Amino acid sequence: MKIPLAIPDLTGNESAYLQECIASSFVSSVGPFVHRFEAEIAELSGSNRAVVVSSGTVALQIALETLGISAGDLVMVPSLTFIASANAVRHSGANVWLVDSGREYWSLDLALCRRLIEDETEQHAKGRRHVASGRILRAIMPVMIMGASVDLEGFAALGREFGLRIVVDAAAAIGAEASGGTNLAKTGVDAVCYSFNGNKTITCGGGGAIAAAEDELMVNAAHLISTGRVGENYEHDIVAYNHRMTNIQAAVGVAQLERLPQFLRRKQEVGAYYDDLAARHSDLSPFPAPPFGSNTRWFSGVWYTGGDLSLCNAFRAHMKSAGVDLRQFWKPVHLQAPYSDALASRMPVAEDLWPRIFPLPCSSGLSAEDLATVVAAADDFWGRNAGRDASRSGAVTAGGRTEAECG
Ligand SMILES: *Cc1c(COP(=O)(O)O)cnc(C)c1O
């Protein structure tokens, strides 16, 4: 594909720092870049300490486990997310309770979470017991979808009210701040988790991080990911993991962080072009801009609000033929085979939205020329297909699942 969706820009100090790792022989999980990267992530997220790990999925899993969530527990997760959010819950031993998103901002619907807690759980000696399954609801995992803001203060308040932990999937939201410039870890949530996978705003090749306001949580997380070792000898006090980040990965991360402001600026510029694109076509809308803090616009693009869903696949095919990497957006978790039996709310929003969302190329280093190619190809398609609806094309059946899976 000529213009990929999101690839890293590694033209800063990445090579120089990697050379330092090799020359010093600090290539493994001990090394100066690990400490530096942890300190910088802590600073950015408003915690005293951060713990870097091997992936964003692991960051979420370790945050949950460190907070005491385990087999038999329930964790609320939005269905409209990358499947890793749900996988992390399963890896911790708990089960997911998949919940629909709000139509306005696409993220986990706070009011719906409250309603489900009030209607479907009851107070029990161990916490909020889900009546039908008998499981204890222990946590909620709001996801900062597209790198946009979420009402973290609202979730934190809901958590306090019902004795639930709030673990934020900020995998794609590095650089985000909550309302009023508050750092994410200072919003009252229990943990904030990032990913540094290759397609994220900054990358380590692969990696993740956990930040939290509570220092003890960070100490326990660091212990849990590094074999539970105590002291200098081979003494271990728990069955723990080796989920550490290596100095090599952290070296890339440190170099990437140096350019975070520049990457975030470029994401805003690219997003603004796609907002303008949406404004030119009556069947397109911009991605939402929730008012709960900064929007890092990890992913930006447009979405289809018209009545002929067959156009969505036609648009994807058109963009592919123009050399643009336009894929189907995340299929909601409740429609994925491993979660077909999971506890789930009704999903009118997730099922309606996902086939309509078009994440357009948004690499931190996207060139003006490539951006112009993307926008011209999209203008061409929507200029020719303005105002079509299903009654005229006759190509659509009712119901999100069927529509989405045609072609
Ligand atoms: C990328 C991502 C993850 C997983 O991160 P990995 O580093 O790939 O394990 C989890 N949740 C969301 C929303 C993501 O975008």
Side-chain angles (χ1 to χ4, degrees):
M1 202 63 62
K2 220 164 69 213
I3 309 177
L5 173 62
I7 54 163
D9 174 340
L10 301 166
T11 56
N13 284 322
E14 288 82 1
S15 301
Y17 294 170
L18 284 171
Q19 276 303 324
E20 268 181 54
C21 294
I22 309 270
S24 68
S25 84
F26 279 109
V27 294
S28 194
S29 50
V30 173
F33 285 115
V34 174
H35 298 295
R36 211 164 127 188
F37 194 47
E38 278 189 339
E40 288 171 4
I41 295 296
E43 165 94 37
L44 210 75
S45 42
S47 57
N48 290 325
R49 182 175 176 189
V51 173
V52 294
V53 294
S54 54
S55 73
T57 311
V58 156
L60 291 165
Q61 176 198 339
I62 295 298
L64 291 166
E65 287 191 31
T66 308
L67 288 163
I69 286 130
S70 64
D73 292 337
L74 272 181
V75 179
M76 278 181 163
V77 179
S79 189
L80 190 63
T81 183
F82 180 53
I83 197 166
S85 314
N87 288 346
V89 172
R90 295 294 290 120
H91 294 326
S92 78
N95 286 85
V96 293
W97 184 350
L98 299 169
V99 176
D100 204 5
S101 289
R103 181 164 290 281
E104 199 174 2
Y105 304 130
W106 298 0
S107 55
L108 182 61
D109 187 334
L110 176 60
L112 177 59
C113 288
R114 165 179 290 281
R115 204 155 64 241
L116 290 169
I117 293 167
E118 288 172 349
D119 293 352
E120 299 190 19
T121 74
E122 62 187 9
Q123 202 51 42
H124 179 270
K126 291 184 178 162
R128 294 300 299 193
R129 183 171 167 276
H130 181 253
V131 177
S133 68
R135 298 183 192 279
I136 304 295
L137 176 65
R138 298 290 311 283
I140 305 178
M141 183 185 289
V143 178
M144 298 179 73
I145 187 168
M146 311 298 186
S149 67
V150 166
D151 185 4
L152 297 183
E153 280 98 349
F155 277 104
L158 185 69
R160 281 191 299 276
E161 185 178 338
F162 290 102
L164 307 172
R165 301 296 199 162
I166 307 297
V167 173
V168 183
D169 181 342
I174 191 74
E177 291 172 341
S179 306
T182 307
N183 294 123
L184 298 190
K186 289 187 171 153
T187 54
V189 301
D190 292 281
V192 177
C193 300
Y194 300 105
S195 162
F196 308 113
N197 188 38
N199 63 350
K200 298 302 198 283
T201 302
I202 68 160
T203 186
C204 296
I210 312 162
E214 199 187 306
D215 293 345
E216 195 191 336
L217 188 85
M218 294 287 79
V219 171
N220 293 340
H223 193 57
L224 185 58
I225 61 147
S226 52
T227 72
R229 185 165 174 163
V230 284
E232 292 300 302
N233 299 316
Y234 289 103
E235 293 281 347
H236 307 261
D237 63 352
I238 51 170
V239 179
Y241 299 100
N242 178 10
H243 280 332
R244 292 169 293 189
M245 178 181 279
T246 68
N247 203 47
I248 287 182
Q249 290 165 299
V252 175
V254 167
Q256 288 270 291
L257 264 188
E258 291 171 352
R259 299 170 70 214
L260 177 62
Q262 176 194 332
F263 291 166
L264 290 172
R265 239 184 347 263
R266 185 63 182 150
K267 295 263 185 197
Q268 296 296 334
E269 288 167 4
V270 169
Y273 269 82
Y274 297 148
D275 291 348
D276 290 346
L277 167 67
R280 286 193 293 276
H281 302 281
S282 59
D283 287 341
L284 298 181
S285 280
F287 283 5
F292 310 109
S294 58
N295 184 355
T296 62
R297 306 197 78 156
W298 165 56
F299 268 9
S300 52
V302 295
W303 69 289
Y304 178 67
T305 50
D308 182 0
L309 275 182
S310 70
L311 284 180
C312 295
N313 282 335
F315 179 50
R316 278 182 274 268
H318 171 81
M319 295 302 271
K320 272 197 183 122
S321 68
V324 177
D325 183 6
L326 175 53
R327 308 171 203 180
Q328 185 79 259
F329 187 60
W330 297 328
K331 184 176 185 172
V333 176
H334 73 285
L335 300 178
Q336 305 273 6
Y339 292 94
S340 56
D341 295 333
L343 183 60
S345 75
R346 288 182 58 248
M347 297 288 175
V349 176
E351 290 183 4
D352 178 60
L353 275 180
W354 76 280
R356 301 173 174 276
I357 296 176
F358 308 120
L360 293 170
C362 62
S363 303
S364 322
L366 186 68
S367 71
E369 190 190 356
D370 282 355
L371 182 55
T373 302
V374 174
V375 169
D379 273 328
D380 170 41
F381 181 89
W382 293 106
R384 282 187 286 108
N385 290 287
R388 257 178 53 181
D389 65 33
S391 56
R392 260 182 287 167
S393 79
V396 181
T397 52
R401 207 178 284 220
T402 333
E403 291 157 356
E405 286 173 359
C406 68

